[in-house]
Amino acid sequence: MPWIPPSALLSSRARDHVPGIKLAVEQLLELSTAGEAEGWRFVEEVGSVSVSKLDGTCMRGTTAVMAPPERVQMAVQDLSNLVHYSDLCSQSEAVDQLCDDYQDSILVQIGYMQLKSSSLFASDRDFVFLQCSFALEHGVKGVVRYSVTHDKKPEIPGYSRGTILVSGYVISPGQVGQSSHVLHLLSQDMGGNLFTNSAFGAQSTSEQVCALNSVRARFEGESQGELSSLTSRSKNLFSGKQDLHLSGKELDESVIQVWVADLLQAVNKSSGGWSQCSTRDGLIVESKDFGSTVLCVRTCRTISAPASQVFELVGDIARTAQYDPSFVGGRTVRSVLHKGSTTMMVNWSACSLSQIFPLFSDRDFCYLQVNQLASAGSYVVLCRSVEDDEVPRKSGFIRGTIQTSGFVIQEISGEECEVSYVCALELGGMIPKLMSDVLTKELPIKVLGVEEYFKRTCLLYTSPSPRDS
């Protein structure tokens, strides 16, 4: 069945590329399913990748990756990652973004990369290409690339400009848990004279296809020492499980499971002790009393957006300012673990109290963030305070403590989800009751910010284009 370009492409800056994108996607899908009858033959097993080829410069590799298709797609579409997957790649970057639409699961970028030659007789190569990330039926994700020209990337001395005929990934749901079957295909013309094109081209194509091993390793369990080196004074307020700082147990994956269970219990509508404290634009905010030092609130909202897209937004600290008005800065300090459908990282972030109360200092937090695909259509973003030597206390901020905070996102349909948010934290310092009461009402407003973000994005791509007027 031919691939039908989504409507978002037709109203974006990528509209002039639609014929080329459509052809490239169909070529990728055709070449990914062709077999021996069409000339493909098995070459070898390299690590965990099974390699086959059509000719010297058209090869494909397949492997299993312990992560769901949407996470694998996010990894391979990140152009800054190319240098990490292939030893030949010395530079990679996104040059321009032409379309990014969450409803149609489409992302179109112009990319650039440089490849090092391993021969004294062949010059280095560079490529300018269009990359399109897309979605198919049955949970299949894809990324396709093909060469284009771009004003920002003219040919440069010392490099021969190569041509990507068609390249990309077809990522299908795997048979085991949250896994994927990943196929990486590459067909390219390296440019230069006939001899170097043939020799360097075959080597380069094979090496890039086998870089699928690096993609696979990206999702395998990392060193547990990173996780066990962290300490935490946060408390399990909702599940009744023993607190980490009381048990003396090192931070490990079993502790993280307890933390996730604590968050899930907090959003459970049947859990007791909650009382309504405010409403705003139909958003009902509930609070729970844990003493004067702990601010604890929760809320829930049905949002017209795919659950996976909400998860991507609230799970990325770099995008927090797009929905949280109190956010004044933050970053990921380091990645701690990537395993299966779970990602963990240490983050630092700061929020503004001075915007509401000018005489009070802003607060900052050092915390472990856990992003997890809990089950089909259900996502968790959990934050709990940790101590980390790489995140010392900063001048101008009072360090707060996140006891339990995060989002639980449950798919209702392909275009709608239920977003539950809980925040239980201690701001530190002296907080008057009047200020606590105001903050209790303000903390959950970020959920409305998430809703507004998707409304803005939807309007951006449904507005008539200049060509239609």
Side-chain angles (χ1 to χ4, degrees):
M1 180 182 295
W3 179 69
I4 301 175
S7 59
L9 276 177
L10 303 177
S11 59
S12 73
R13 293 175 56 223
R15 57 181 173 267
D16 293 337
H17 294 280
V18 169
I21 294 172
K22 184 175 187 298
L23 177 61
V25 170
E26 292 176 352
Q27 288 178 332
L28 173 65
L29 297 178
E30 180 181 353
L31 290 170
S32 67
T33 56
E36 292 184 5
E38 290 79 20
W40 285 93
R41 61 185 181 86
F42 171 77
V43 178
E44 59 181 336
E45 294 280 345
V46 181
S48 300
V49 177
S50 177
V51 181
S52 58
K53 72 175 184 178
L54 186 61
D55 55 49
T57 56
C58 184
M59 297 185 180
R60 67 189 184 193
T62 58
T63 193
V65 175
M66 290 306 297
E70 54 265 33
R71 282 197 62 212
V72 178
Q73 183 188 49
M74 288 172 63
V76 299
Q77 75 184 12
D78 185 346
L79 293 171
S80 64
N81 278 337
L82 297 184
V83 295
H84 303 301
Y85 297 148
S86 172
D87 291 337
L88 289 181
C89 185
S90 59
Q91 179 182 338
S92 60
E93 62 178 310
V95 178
D96 197 2
Q97 183 165 297
L98 305 181
C99 180
D100 183 6
D101 185 80
Y102 77 92
Q103 287 187 316
D104 285 330
S105 300
I106 197 85
L107 172 65
V108 181
Q109 299 171 289
I110 301 296
Y112 175 75
M113 69 174 177
Q114 295 178 351
L115 298 183
K116 297 176 291 186
S117 171
S118 59
S119 171
L120 296 175
F121 304 101
S123 60
D124 295 341
R125 262 53 173 185
D126 69 347
F127 300 82
V128 181
F129 54 92
L130 182 144
Q131 174 179 284
C132 177
S133 304
F134 58 93
L136 299 172
E137 294 179 340
H138 310 300
V140 178
K141 304 291 184 179
V143 178
V144 69
R145 300 173 184 141
Y146 63 93
S147 282
V148 294
T149 59
H150 197 279
D151 294 341
K152 292 183 179 179
K153 290 296 177 181
E155 294 191 28
I156 57 177
Y159 288 84
S160 294
R161 179 62 51 92
T163 302
I164 298 175
L165 303 175
V166 64
S167 170
Y169 296 84
V170 179
I171 311 158
S172 308
Q175 298 179 348
V176 180
Q178 297 298 321
S179 66
S180 299
H181 177 269
V182 184
L183 180 144
H184 178 31
L185 179 136
L186 179 58
S187 177
Q188 61 186 0
D189 183 339
M190 299 297 288
N193 62 54
L194 182 62
F195 171 76
T196 58
N197 185 22
S198 176
F200 184 27
Q203 175 207 4
S204 169
T205 303
S206 176
E207 199 278 342
Q208 290 182 77
V209 166
C210 292
L212 199 54
N213 277 309
S214 298
V215 177
R216 176 186 170 96
R218 156 75 168 76
F219 292 99
E220 292 180 348
E222 295 182 344
S223 169
Q224 297 302 302
E226 287 284 342
L227 187 57
S228 62
S229 67
L230 298 172
T231 59
S232 176
R233 300 179 186 275
S234 63
K235 302 174 184 177
N236 299 314
L237 298 177
F238 307 99
S239 65
K241 299 290 185 178
Q242 189 177 26
D243 295 330
L244 177 65
H245 71 289
L246 295 178
S247 67
K249 188 177 182 181
E250 289 185 340
L251 190 58
D252 59 21
E253 290 184 61
S254 65
V255 174
I256 302 303
Q257 291 175 3
V258 171
W259 284 5
V260 171
D262 195 59
L263 176 64
L264 294 176
Q265 180 62 25
V267 304
N268 186 340
K269 293 182 175 65
S270 63
S271 60
W274 294 92
S275 60
Q276 182 174 329
C277 62
S278 68
T279 59
R280 180 166 170 179
D281 295 334
L283 184 74
I284 298 175
V285 179
E286 296 179 306
S287 64
K288 191 170 185 177
D289 185 15
F290 288 103
S292 60
T293 62
V294 179
L295 298 179
C296 181
V297 293
R298 73 177 184 182
T299 192
C300 184
R301 186 80 158 187
T302 298
I303 292 179
S304 298
S308 61
Q309 296 293 334
V310 175
F311 176 61
E312 291 175 14
L313 175 66
V314 301
D316 184 353
I317 190 172
R319 303 174 68 183
T320 305
Q322 298 178 14
Y323 63 86
D324 184 357
S326 68
F327 180 81
V328 295
R331 62 185 175 89
T332 293
V333 178
R334 70 175 185 276
S335 177
V336 173
L337 181 136
H338 297 286
K339 187 174 182 180
S341 60
T342 300
T343 301
M344 303 183 199
M345 69 283 293
V346 175
N347 287 347
W348 172 84
S349 70
C351 68
S352 174
L353 297 187
S354 58
Q355 293 179 2
I356 306 173
F357 301 96
L359 298 179
F360 287 86
S361 299
D362 293 341
R363 264 51 176 182
D364 74 339
F365 303 88
C366 173
Y367 57 95
L368 181 72
Q369 178 172 313
V370 181
N371 293 350
Q372 185 175 86
L373 177 57
S375 60
S378 180
Y379 304 84
V380 170
V381 177
L382 166 72
C383 301
R384 296 274 294 243
S385 279
V386 293
E387 288 79 44
D388 192 313
D389 292 338
E390 295 184 27
V391 193
R393 295 178 184 271
K394 297 180 180 292
S395 175
F397 294 96
I398 292 177
R399 179 63 52 91
T401 301
I402 300 173
Q403 303 293 0
T404 292
S405 179
F407 295 86
V408 177
I409 306 152
Q410 181 62 55
E411 182 179 69
I412 298 175
S413 67
E415 297 300 325
E416 194 175 51
C417 62
E418 182 181 75
V419 179
S420 299
Y421 173 70
V422 171
C423 182
L425 56 81
E426 296 184 43
L427 291 172
M430 297 295 294
I431 304 294
K433 187 178 186 307
L434 174 62
M435 184 175 178
S436 296
D437 292 342
V438 172
L439 291 173
T440 298
K441 299 174 183 178
E442 291 295 325
L443 284 172
I445 298 306
K446 63 179 67 179
V447 175
L448 293 178
V450 172
E451 182 178 50
E452 287 301 316
Y453 170 84
F454 286 101
K455 286 181 178 178
R456 292 195 307 269
T457 307
C458 181
L459 288 173
L460 177 63
Y461 289 108
T462 55
S463 298
S465 68
R467 291 189 175 189
D468 298 329
S469 57

